[in-house]
Amino acid sequence: MNSSKIISFVSLTITLIVNTSLAQNKTKKEENCLIKNSKDLKKSTMKPNQLNVLGTELQLASLDPLTGFYRNGYCSTDANDRGVHVIAAVVTDEFLKYSLSKGNDLISAYPSSGFPGLKPGDVWCLCALRWKEALNAGVAPPVLLEATNSKALEYVTLEELNSKKFEN
């Protein structure tokens, strides 16, 4: 073997070793990302440590469709939830049409964002101010008090919520 062939062979071997090492490192990074994301998912679907408007533990609103600002089934909230999605409502056709007339289409599905579109009877965590606006317009949907976050009381009264309490 002449020296140029040896150099080519060594260069090729080094390239293969480096590429294999990079691929293994990339795989480990991807695994770590998946592990991190699964931990984040588990954390986001954990039961929140928040109270409902009755002063007791916040109850699950809906898993089908999966609701909540954090899509964890609860009307839980924090500073990231600018819309304050805290009122667990059983949506009605009348409310869905009203919301659409206000520029918020809750009827159409948006698969790319994971939004299934709502139909009458679905439970959804509504923005407190939208629910209040609908109440004033006479089209507020019924409310599940046990699943409605106590944060709602900063926007509406318990009496207002009670007036629309869902009765099964």
Side-chain angles (χ1 to χ4, degrees):
M1 232 185 209
N2 66 28
S3 63
S4 66
K5 286 185 180 180
I6 292 173
I7 291 173
S8 293
F9 177 75
V10 169
S11 176
L12 179 61
T13 303
I14 291 171
T15 301
L16 286 172
I17 291 169
V18 167
N19 285 342
T20 301
S21 176
L22 288 173
Q24 288 173 344
N25 192 27
K26 182 179 177 186
T27 301
K28 287 193 184 299
K29 285 181 182 175
E30 289 169 351
E31 285 174 11
N32 287 339
C33 183
L34 289 174
I35 289 168
K36 180 183 184 301
N37 289 339
S38 69
K39 285 179 183 173
D40 289 345
L41 179 62
K42 184 176 179 183
K43 181 180 176 185
S44 72
T45 57
M46 288 174 43
K47 192 170 191 172
N49 188 20
Q50 296 182 8
L51 298 177
N52 62 34
V53 293
L54 303 174
T56 60
E57 189 176 300
L58 186 65
Q59 298 300 303
L60 184 69
S62 175
L63 294 175
D64 185 21
L66 186 59
T67 191
F69 179 74
Y70 286 104
R71 294 300 191 265
N72 62 0
Y74 293 88
C75 295
S76 54
T77 191
D78 63 18
N80 295 312
D81 178 10
R82 292 185 181 161
V84 194
H85 299 79
V86 294
I87 297 183
V90 181
V91 297
T92 61
D93 186 53
E94 189 177 38
F95 172 77
L96 291 170
K97 288 177 181 172
Y98 174 78
S99 185
L100 181 61
S101 77
K102 296 297 182 182
N104 187 18
D105 182 1
L106 297 174
I107 301 166
S108 300
Y110 297 95
S112 62
S113 65
F115 181 70
L118 301 178
K119 61 188 181 317
D122 286 341
V123 176
W124 198 249
C125 295
L126 297 179
C127 296
L129 288 175
R130 175 66 61 175
W131 188 87
K132 173 76 171 186
E133 180 183 66
L135 180 69
N136 292 337
V139 295
V143 176
L144 300 172
L145 297 175
E146 295 81 5
T148 296
N149 196 300
S150 62
K151 180 84 171 169
L153 297 175
E154 294 177 20
Y155 302 88
V156 297
T157 67
L158 185 55
E159 291 76 26
E160 289 171 318
L161 292 167
N162 260 320
S163 76
K164 297 302 287 185
K165 180 180 178 181
F166 179 76
E167 305 285 344
N168 2 358

